[in-house]
Amino acid sequence: GIRDKLVTGVQTCALPILPSGVLSQRHGRRPLLIAGPLVVAVSSFAAALATDFVWLVFWRFLQGVGSGVYLTASMAALADISPPARRANNMSLYQASIQLGATIGPVLGGYLAWLFDFRAPFWAYMLVGLAAAATAAFAFTDTLDPEERRKPLPSSVRRIGLMTPAFTVVCVLSFAIFFTRVVTLFQLVPLIGADTFKLDVGTIGAALTLCAFTNFLGMPITAPMLERLGARTTVAITTIANALCIGMLWFDASVWVFWLSVGLLGVTMGVSYPSISAYIIGCLPRERYGPGMGMQRTFGDVGFVIGPVIAGFLYDIAGPGHTVVILMNVGLLAVCTVLFVAGSGGARRETA
């Protein structure tokens, strides 16, 4: 449908992420932090001038490529500079900033399109991309030591060390979390709000904004949880909490339960994302941060891509109601959490 085509650029972030992680380990983080936003800026410029829908989708695709390159390199850079004592806080702030931008961006884009025309958001995105590239070029010092870059990379994923059980299970869990996140926030919440509680578009938008805002409420509790429980336990607890919050959407007797589940979901997501990043940093040596972050983000973005497709298929075959899709999300998180707990027992001690 039209919605799927318009978000193609976001969904195709998955394509460049794994090679970006390897490139960032070979050439440093800074070149990719410059190149990614530049690709976004150039493709935004071209999208603003597009006169054909197919070309518009193509340039949106390239925007997704640029975003994927930047996201991978930035996470690897953050891992480089985050000592264990600051790791949770840094990851929390990073994830919350992404969520805040993803919430504010469409609002500002819609306002610009209303004020001028549909091309205005692309011009704005171009300026943001240029500003980000300039910041990386002139105000960022590469976080990867030149000695690390000169080390030869293994020739296969298995030899890189990314096929250990401890790392594989967290990639599978990332797939489940991204899958359920996009289905819940962009299908379940809007559809339940409209169908069950007759909420208008503005109120549904407010519910999504509430989820983004409560992400920040998870920040103060992330570091204490990681310090007290360890990354592995924190990831497991918050993923189960995600599943319970999604399950609360099934109780459609009260709109207040709907609002409560959306708000709590934001908190649990705000803890789970940085906890997964902390787990990965803890179970991988420094020279594998780039490929590791790339692999984990690739699994996550595959879930982000196929989640709406599978949910839409289930809606088509199940008919009216949301029970089947809710149960699919809850079941997927529960199964992947069990796999994570079972497979992560051999991770390095930092993640325990």
Side-chain angles (χ1 to χ4, degrees):
I2 294 295
R3 177 187 175 275
D4 295 330
K5 292 181 176 67
L6 290 176
V7 299
T8 297
V10 175
Q11 294 181 336
T12 52
C13 282
L15 295 178
I17 281 178
L18 180 56
S20 296
V22 176
L23 287 173
S24 75
Q25 199 69 35
R26 177 63 62 83
H27 302 290
R29 320 304 189 198
R30 186 170 173 269
L32 276 74
L33 292 176
I34 298 172
L38 281 179
V39 172
V40 169
V42 171
S43 54
S44 297
F45 174 82
L49 299 178
T51 57
D52 180 85
F53 185 72
V54 174
W55 278 108
L56 177 62
V57 172
F58 172 75
W59 295 119
R60 289 286 291 148
F61 172 90
L62 286 186
Q63 284 180 333
V65 171
S67 296
V69 169
Y70 171 82
L71 282 172
T72 305
S74 62
M75 288 187 68
L78 189 63
D80 291 338
I81 63 174
S82 296
R86 291 290 307 169
R87 185 175 297 158
N89 288 332
N90 290 349
M91 291 296 178
S92 297
L93 183 59
Y94 176 84
Q95 298 289 352
S97 298
I98 291 177
Q99 183 67 22
L100 181 62
T103 303
I104 294 176
V107 176
L108 294 179
Y111 178 73
L112 289 173
W114 172 79
L115 194 61
F116 301 104
D117 62 19
F118 79 93
R119 303 177 192 275
F122 293 112
W123 295 120
Y125 201 14
M126 179 192 72
L127 295 176
V128 171
L130 291 174
T135 301
F138 300 110
F140 178 79
T141 302
D142 207 309
T143 58
L144 188 64
D145 189 273
E147 291 296 326
E148 294 289 338
R149 301 176 216 172
R150 285 193 281 269
K151 292 181 180 179
L153 289 175
S155 58
S156 70
V157 169
R158 181 177 295 276
R159 287 176 62 195
I160 289 174
L162 302 186
M163 295 299 289
T164 62
F167 185 78
T168 301
V169 291
V170 78
C171 287
V172 173
L173 188 65
S174 295
F175 166 86
I177 289 174
F178 276 67
F179 182 108
T180 55
R181 174 184 181 272
V182 67
V183 171
T184 301
L185 293 184
F186 299 112
Q187 288 178 286
L188 277 175
V189 168
L191 290 173
I192 291 174
D195 296 343
T196 304
F197 301 111
K198 310 304 178 186
L199 303 180
D200 57 29
V201 173
T203 307
I204 292 172
L208 297 178
T209 302
L210 171 66
C211 186
F213 173 76
T214 54
N215 259 247
F216 287 94
L217 299 182
M219 289 178 58
I221 65 175
T222 302
M225 287 186 68
L226 288 172
E227 292 171 2
R228 187 176 183 86
L229 303 175
R232 177 172 175 259
T233 303
T234 302
V235 169
I237 290 174
T238 54
T239 305
I240 291 299
N242 281 344
L244 292 175
C245 291
I246 295 171
M248 287 173 62
L249 293 171
W250 184 73
F251 297 96
D252 56 6
S254 171
V255 70
W256 295 110
V257 176
F258 171 82
W259 284 98
L260 179 63
S261 65
V262 172
L264 290 177
L265 187 63
V267 176
T268 58
M269 287 179 177
V271 178
S272 65
Y273 295 159
S275 300
I276 286 179
S277 298
Y279 173 89
I280 291 173
I281 295 172
C283 72
L284 290 177
R286 181 184 177 88
E287 65 271 15
R288 296 172 188 168
Y289 283 173
M293 291 295 181
M295 178 70 81
Q296 182 261 334
R297 285 289 308 192
T298 299
F299 269 78
D301 280 356
V302 168
F304 189 90
V305 171
I306 70 173
V309 177
I310 293 178
F313 175 75
L314 289 178
Y315 271 118
D316 287 341
I317 64 175
H322 310 284
T323 301
V324 172
V325 178
I326 291 174
L327 291 178
M328 174 193 68
N329 281 272
V330 173
L332 179 62
L333 287 174
V335 169
C336 289
T337 302
V338 172
L339 291 175
F340 171 75
V341 172
S344 61
R348 288 166 61 192
R349 187 174 181 180
E350 280 184 79
T351 69

